[in-house]
């Protein structure tokens, strides 16, 4: 009896652990709608994109806890930031930008016969009911793309709805490719797999149908799907898992061999789940932009100036104005250049104010691949430059938001006395601590002579003043 009980406990544990395994599969139901006339060009050339006319979307994350408030994913807030970084790295090349507007958590309701509530999406159909519930309970931002991080699901790791402003991914997938995949569905990008698309990419061929079936994108190769459809083994039988290359000999419905490249295998909208990377074709990017121009996402659009605003923290203005940690934090996923600027901006300049002086001296550079998000902050005495690629020469993308604040007291400093009354090496240098350098009688207590007073600040800035004191 004891062995039987142990076996039963083991089986329950196995089922529970399997339920929580990281599942990359997408549960989005493919759209059956045909493209409306005049909306999509099906082009695959760069001239179809005006990258100097970017579109910026608000993006809000929601973490769903268990009904009792427990959260099995303590890194979820951090992973949401990594997710927005991944989205920008992937979609910025098409002039599509995402502004992180926050992360919140709420407790899942307890549903009848389902103690997990919405924490676990038992069936794909639960997603629609979940969206109805979050909208009714104000866990939905109508002016943003909304991403819901649930616990896990036996059917996959993510789900979305075409041309809508909401998607869901399991919490383990927030920082991974699947988030970009689901947002791709929101932007009306279909899976690259199709049973009806022919292999030929020659528009002169009688069998060319890439514009009217499959994912409606010409520069993604036709394929019937890489996931093993007959055995749920979590593998792709026609993919070399070490090189992520296609090794199959499948044919389309008229007997032509598929012509599948490495890029087709790793495409983020494909289903070679163990090989996916942050890769999309130009044709997919053009299709996403044309879906945006059709007006499906107007409610979530914000302005380019929002990318220059911190998502957390505050700027120091003057002593006694705030009781916060003065460290404005900026979202990851961009190449930032914080260049030296002046003068006298105790609060950052308005986005439209470009009258300040700036130099080519980069005080801090942050890569779009930065993973320590606490490093992405705005140093004092600098402006912000976001790298928009070729568009950085455009007037729109000048250095912005000069922050040049000298109201904060220095933490130390020094006094150099030039004994001969001229600038030479015959000097005496006296170091000062915080109390000494901030002494209101510092200058009045000096003997007559030529001095250099250096003040040093917490942020690494220094301020020099030369005085000549007479009798």
């Amino acid at each position: 009896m004891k062995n039987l009980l142990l076996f039963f406990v083991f089986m329950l544990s196995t089922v529970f652990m399997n339920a929580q395994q990281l599942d990359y599969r997408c549960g989005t139901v493919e759209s059956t709608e045909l493209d409306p006339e005049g909306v999509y060009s099906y082009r695959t050339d760069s001239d179809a994109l005006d990258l100097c006319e970017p579109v910026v979307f608000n993006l809000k994350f929601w973490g769903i806890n268990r009904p009792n408030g427990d959260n099995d994913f303590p890194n979820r807030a951090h992973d949401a930031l990594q997710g927005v970084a991944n989205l920008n790295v992937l979609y910025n090349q098409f002039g599509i930008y995402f502004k992180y507007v926050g992360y919140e958590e709420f407790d899942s309701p307890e549903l009848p016969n389902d103690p997990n509530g919405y924490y676990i999406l038992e069936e794909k159909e639960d997603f629609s009911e979940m969206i109805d519930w979050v909208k009714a309970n104000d866990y939905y931002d109508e002016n943003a793309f909304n991403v819901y991080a649930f616990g896990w699901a036996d059917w996959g790791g993510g789900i979305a709805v075409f041309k809508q402003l909401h998607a869901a991914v399991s919490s383990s997938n927030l920082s991974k490719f699947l988030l970009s995949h689901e947002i791709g569905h929101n932007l009306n990008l279909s899976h690259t797999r199709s049973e009806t698309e022919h292999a030929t990419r020659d528009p002169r061929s009688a069998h060319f149908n890439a514009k009217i079936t499959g994912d409606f994108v010409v520069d993604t190769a036709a394929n019937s799907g890489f996931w093993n459809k007959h055995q749920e083994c979590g593998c792709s039988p026609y993919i070399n898992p070490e090189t992520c290359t296609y090794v199959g000999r499948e044919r389309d419905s008229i007997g032509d061999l598929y012509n599948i490249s490495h890029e087709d295998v790793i495409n983020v909208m494909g289903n070679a789940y163990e090989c996916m990377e942050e890769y999309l074709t130009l044709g997919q990017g053009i299709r996403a932009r044309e879906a945006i121009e059709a007006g499906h996402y107007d409610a979530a659009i914000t302005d380019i100036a929002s990318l220059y605003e911190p998502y957390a923290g505050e700027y120091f203005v003057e002593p006694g104005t705030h009781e916060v940690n003065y460290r404005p934090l900026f979202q990851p996923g961009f190449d930032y250049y914080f260049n030296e600027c002046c003068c006298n901006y105790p609060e950052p300049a308005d986005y439209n104010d470009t009258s300040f002086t700036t130099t080519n001296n980069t005080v801090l550079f942050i890569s779009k691949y930065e993973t320590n998000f606490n490093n992405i902050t705005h140093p004092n005495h600098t402006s912000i430059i976001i790298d928009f690629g070729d568009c950085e020469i455009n007037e729109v993308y000048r250095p912005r938001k000069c922050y040049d604040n000298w109201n904060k007291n220095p933490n130390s400093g020094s006094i150099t006395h030039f004994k001969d009354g001229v600038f030479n090496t015959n000097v005496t240098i006296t170091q000062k601590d915080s109390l000494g350098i901030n002494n209101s009688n510092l200058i009045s207590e000096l003997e007559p002579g030529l001095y250099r007073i250096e003040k040093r600040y917490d942020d690494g800035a220094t301020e020099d003043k030369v005085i000549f004191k007479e009798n």
Side-chain angles (χ1 to χ4, degrees):
M1 182 66 180
K2 180 179 180 181
N3 289 339
L4 181 61
L5 179 61
L6 287 175
F7 175 76
F8 180 68
V9 171
F10 173 76
M11 288 299 294
L12 282 178
S13 299
T14 301
V15 171
F16 182 70
M17 286 187 292
N18 284 341
Q20 296 188 68
Q21 285 179 352
L22 180 59
D23 194 330
Y24 295 114
R25 291 174 299 163
C26 169
T28 298
V29 178
E30 205 68 68
S31 173
T32 57
E33 294 183 9
L34 295 178
D35 284 344
E37 291 187 11
V39 174
Y40 299 99
S41 67
Y42 312 102
R43 292 175 62 176
T44 60
D45 57 293
S46 58
D47 290 341
L49 284 176
D50 185 357
L51 298 180
C52 293
E53 290 295 333
V55 58
V56 184
F57 292 116
N58 290 320
L59 180 67
K60 180 68 176 284
F61 288 86
W62 305 87
I64 307 178
N65 298 327
R66 291 178 181 272
N68 64 1
D70 287 348
N71 172 19
D72 296 9
F73 305 92
N75 295 324
R76 202 159 50 184
H78 174 276
D79 289 350
L81 279 169
Q82 184 60 61
V84 73
N86 294 343
L87 283 166
N88 277 299
V89 169
L90 178 63
Y91 287 98
N92 287 179
Q93 63 184 311
F94 308 119
I96 302 170
Y97 296 81
F98 294 92
K99 169 61 180 177
Y100 174 72
V101 295
Y103 166 83
E104 290 186 40
E105 293 184 354
F106 61 86
D107 297 341
S108 169
E110 285 198 20
L111 302 181
N113 304 317
D114 182 5
N116 292 305
Y118 288 130
Y119 184 76
I120 298 176
L121 294 178
E122 305 282 0
E123 303 292 341
K124 295 179 186 179
E125 291 73 18
D126 292 340
F127 176 58
S128 177
E129 295 181 12
M130 185 192 81
I131 295 301
D132 291 340
W133 185 86
V134 296
K135 287 183 176 180
N137 288 274
D138 294 327
Y139 300 123
Y140 190 90
D141 188 336
E142 294 182 349
N143 300 119
F145 278 86
N146 294 265
V147 175
Y148 295 90
F150 59 92
W152 55 88
D154 289 336
W155 46 263
I159 190 169
V161 180
F162 290 87
K163 296 182 287 190
Q164 296 294 320
L165 294 175
H166 48 263
V169 295
S170 61
S171 294
S172 297
N173 277 309
L174 266 182
S175 63
K176 298 177 174 60
F177 67 85
L178 197 60
L179 173 60
S180 301
H181 179 105
E182 301 306 341
I183 294 296
H185 285 319
N186 287 150
L187 294 173
N188 209 26
L189 297 181
S190 297
H191 293 118
T192 60
R193 66 182 185 270
S194 171
E195 299 288 350
T196 58
E197 189 174 350
H198 295 149
T200 179
R201 284 300 181 268
D202 182 359
R204 297 167 299 180
S205 169
H207 301 297
F208 175 75
N209 65 352
K211 294 182 179 180
I212 60 174
T213 190
D215 63 352
F216 307 102
V217 177
V218 175
D219 61 358
T220 57
N223 68 85
S224 64
F226 305 119
W227 188 266
N228 190 322
K229 299 178 286 295
H230 306 293
Q231 302 177 40
E232 290 299 326
C233 65
C235 61
S236 299
Y238 305 118
I239 299 298
N240 182 329
E242 295 181 358
T243 61
C244 289
T245 53
Y246 179 71
V247 294
R249 298 285 295 173
E250 289 184 292
R251 297 177 181 272
D252 66 12
S253 60
I254 59 173
D256 290 343
L257 284 169
Y258 289 126
N259 183 17
I260 299 170
S261 69
H262 170 69
E263 286 74 20
D264 294 311
V265 174
I266 66 172
N267 192 297
V268 79
M269 298 310 298
N271 74 330
Y273 294 105
E274 67 272 38
C275 287
M276 277 187 187
E277 297 180 15
E278 297 293 345
Y279 173 79
L280 290 171
T281 69
L282 182 56
Q284 288 173 306
I286 293 170
R287 181 176 177 81
R289 281 298 297 257
E290 290 173 343
I292 293 168
E293 291 166 7
H296 300 302
Y297 320 99
D298 287 355
I301 292 178
T302 185
D303 56 28
I304 199 78
S306 67
L307 298 178
Y308 293 80
E309 296 295 333
Y311 69 87
E314 292 190 36
Y315 287 91
F316 173 86
V317 178
E318 59 184 21
T321 55
H322 302 285
E323 296 297 332
V324 298
N325 178 21
Y326 303 113
R327 190 176 183 83
L329 295 176
F330 289 76
Q331 68 181 57
F334 299 118
D335 283 341
Y336 292 98
Y337 297 82
F338 296 96
N339 279 19
E340 186 178 46
C341 75
C342 80
C343 295
N344 192 29
Y345 284 90
E347 295 184 70
D350 183 84
Y351 173 80
N352 294 309
D353 178 2
T354 59
S355 62
F356 53 83
T357 301
T358 188
T359 73
N360 291 325
N361 178 30
T362 300
V363 175
L364 176 66
F365 168 73
I366 297 293
S367 167
K368 60 186 175 183
Y369 299 108
E370 177 64 52
T371 57
N372 185 346
F373 304 146
N374 288 326
N375 289 339
I376 313 175
T377 188
H378 187 177
N380 201 352
H381 319 297
T382 68
S383 62
I384 304 172
I385 300 173
I386 299 177
D387 187 354
F388 289 92
D390 292 339
C391 289
E392 64 185 347
I393 61 175
N394 191 294
E395 178 69 18
V396 176
Y397 306 116
R398 293 185 59 181
R400 304 281 175 170
K401 308 290 287 187
C402 178
Y403 176 54
D404 187 35
N405 187 317
W406 295 97
N407 292 331
K408 199 170 186 179
N409 288 330
N411 61 15
S412 60
S414 64
I415 298 176
T416 302
H417 179 205
F418 297 91
K419 295 180 180 180
D420 299 329
V422 296
F423 296 109
N424 59 24
T425 58
N426 185 19
V427 299
T428 299
I429 300 176
T430 304
Q431 298 294 334
K432 295 289 186 179
D433 60 13
S434 177
L435 290 175
I437 201 66
N438 289 298
N439 181 359
S440 60
N441 298 317
L442 179 69
I443 294 178
S444 64
E445 293 177 353
L446 294 175
E447 296 294 326
L450 180 64
Y451 296 89
R452 172 180 173 237
I453 300 174
E454 180 188 48
K455 296 180 179 181
R456 296 186 288 268
Y457 294 81
D458 289 333
D459 56 20
T462 60
E463 181 183 20
D464 285 346
K465 180 184 292 185
V466 174
I467 66 168
F468 181 75
K469 186 177 181 182
E470 298 182 295
N471 288 327

